[in-house]
C-alpha cells in the first residue's frame, strides 16, 4: 500500500516534531486537545476525566504490554494527547475500564495472538490471545456501542498473522477485519516505529 516507515527516536532538544504519523494520530484523537493544565493535584477524580485515546491490549502478552507502554509514551510525550492505559490508572476496576473507553475519543486495539504467559506458563497459550481475553472483548464492545473509532495495531513482526488473529474475533467483532489494514508497529530500544501516513 506504499506505506513508508517512520522511526521515532530521541531527538536533539528543540528539534521540530512534525512527522506525518504523529500529526495524523494526534488529529485522530484530539479536537481540541485535552491536555490538562496545572498540577496532578488539580486533576478531577478519575471517574470525571476524559481522554483522547484508550489503549486496549492483553496483559498476558509481554509483546502487547511492551507495545502498549511504548505507544503510551509516544502519544503523551510527543503528541501531547491524554491516554488511558490500565497500568497508569489508579482505578483499574471494570467500571473504570468502561468509563475509560466511553470517555475516550478513540480506541487503539493492540492485537496479539497465542503466547505463553510468563506469570502462568501452564495456561493454554491460545487463551492468551487478544480476542480470547474476556476484558479485551468487553472493551471492544463498549467502544463499538459508544461509536468510538477503533484502530487495530499489530507488531510489525506479526504482519503475516493478521488474518489468523482476526479469525479469533467473535462474530459481532468481525467488522474489525474490514476497517482497513491494521497499523504495524515495531518497538526498539528508545524508539517506536510506525508506518508513515500517505501524503
Amino acid at each position: 500500500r506504499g506505506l513508508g516507515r517512520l522511526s521515532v527516536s530521541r531527538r536533539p532538544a528543540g528539534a521540530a516534531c512534525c512527522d506525518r504519523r504523529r500529526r495524523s494520530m494526534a488529529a485522530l484523537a484530539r479536537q481540541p486537545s485535552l491536555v490538562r493544565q496545572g498540577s496532578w493535584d488539580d486533576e478531577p477524580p478519575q471517574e470525571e476525566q476524559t481522554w483522547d485515546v484508550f489503549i486496549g491490549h492483553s496483559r498476558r502478552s509481554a509483546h502487547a504490554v511492551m507495545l502498549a507502554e511504548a505507544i503510551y509514551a509516544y502519544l503523551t510525550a510527543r503528541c501531547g494527547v491524554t491516554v488511558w492505559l490500565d497500568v497508569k490508572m489508579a482505578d483499574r476496576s471494570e467500571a473504570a475500564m468502561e468509563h475509560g473507553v466511553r470517555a475516550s475519543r478513540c480506541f487503539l486495539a493492540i492485537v496479539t495472538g497465542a503466547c505463553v504467559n510468563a506469570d502462568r506458563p501452564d495456561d493454554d497459550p491460545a487463551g492468551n490471545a487478544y480476542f480470547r481475553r474476556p476484558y479485551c472483548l468487553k472493551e471492544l464492545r463498549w467502544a463499538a456501542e459508544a461509536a468510538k473509532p477503533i484502530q487495530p495495531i499489530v507488531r510489525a513482526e506479526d504482519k503475516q498473522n493478521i488474518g489468523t488473529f482476526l479469525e479469533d474475533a467473535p462474530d459481532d467483532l468481525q467488522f474489525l477485519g474490514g476497517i482497513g489494514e491494521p497499523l504495524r508497529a515495531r518497538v526498539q530500544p528508545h524508539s517506536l516505529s510506525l508506518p508513515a501516513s500517505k501524503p
Side-chain angles (χ1 to χ4, degrees):
R1 295 179 52 172
L3 294 176
R5 184 163 300 282
L6 160 69
S7 180
V8 181
S9 56
R10 291 182 176 172
R11 302 184 179 199
C17 221
C18 59
D19 300 303
R20 290 192 185 106
R21 173 50 76 189
R22 179 192 64 79
R23 289 199 308 267
S24 63
M25 290 190 78
L28 172 70
R30 61 179 180 184
Q31 189 184 10
S33 172
L34 297 177
V35 178
R36 306 191 196 289
Q37 303 297 319
S39 69
W40 288 105
D41 293 337
D42 296 332
E43 285 198 342
Q46 186 174 319
E47 64 273 13
E48 296 176 10
Q49 294 181 35
T50 58
W51 296 268
D52 296 319
V53 176
F54 185 103
I55 300 178
H57 66 296
S58 170
R59 290 207 57 79
R60 296 194 176 196
S61 167
H63 292 304
V65 171
M66 183 185 307
L67 184 52
E69 293 186 353
I71 291 173
Y72 175 91
Y74 173 67
L75 291 177
T76 56
R78 296 196 178 272
C79 300
V81 298
T82 54
V83 179
W84 199 106
L85 178 62
D86 54 5
V87 295
K88 306 297 183 179
M89 298 294 113
D91 184 356
R92 305 177 201 174
S93 65
E94 181 173 344
M97 285 189 287
E98 181 173 2
H99 170 72
V101 172
R102 296 184 185 277
S104 294
R105 293 183 181 271
C106 65
F107 186 100
L108 300 184
I110 298 177
V111 181
T112 47
C115 64
V116 174
N117 176 8
D119 294 330
R120 301 176 65 177
D122 294 332
D123 285 354
D124 177 9
N128 297 328
Y130 179 77
F131 286 117
R132 299 287 186 90
R133 304 306 310 145
Y135 280 107
C136 294
L137 298 179
K138 285 184 178 184
E139 291 170 351
L140 280 170
R141 288 174 174 135
W142 293 329
E145 288 171 8
K148 303 295 181 180
I150 301 174
Q151 175 61 64
I153 297 178
V154 297
R155 296 189 315 134
E157 295 85 348
D158 286 329
K159 65 181 179 180
Q160 301 299 327
N161 301 318
I162 294 170
T164 302
F165 294 169
L166 289 171
E167 285 175 3
D168 279 342
D171 290 345
D172 63 313
L173 295 174
Q174 282 291 324
F175 71 89
L176 293 171
I179 63 175
E181 184 178 355
L183 295 181
R184 298 187 300 276
R186 185 187 306 277
V187 179
Q188 297 169 331
H190 309 304
S191 70
L192 169 70
S193 295
L194 293 166
S197 300
K198 290 183 178 180

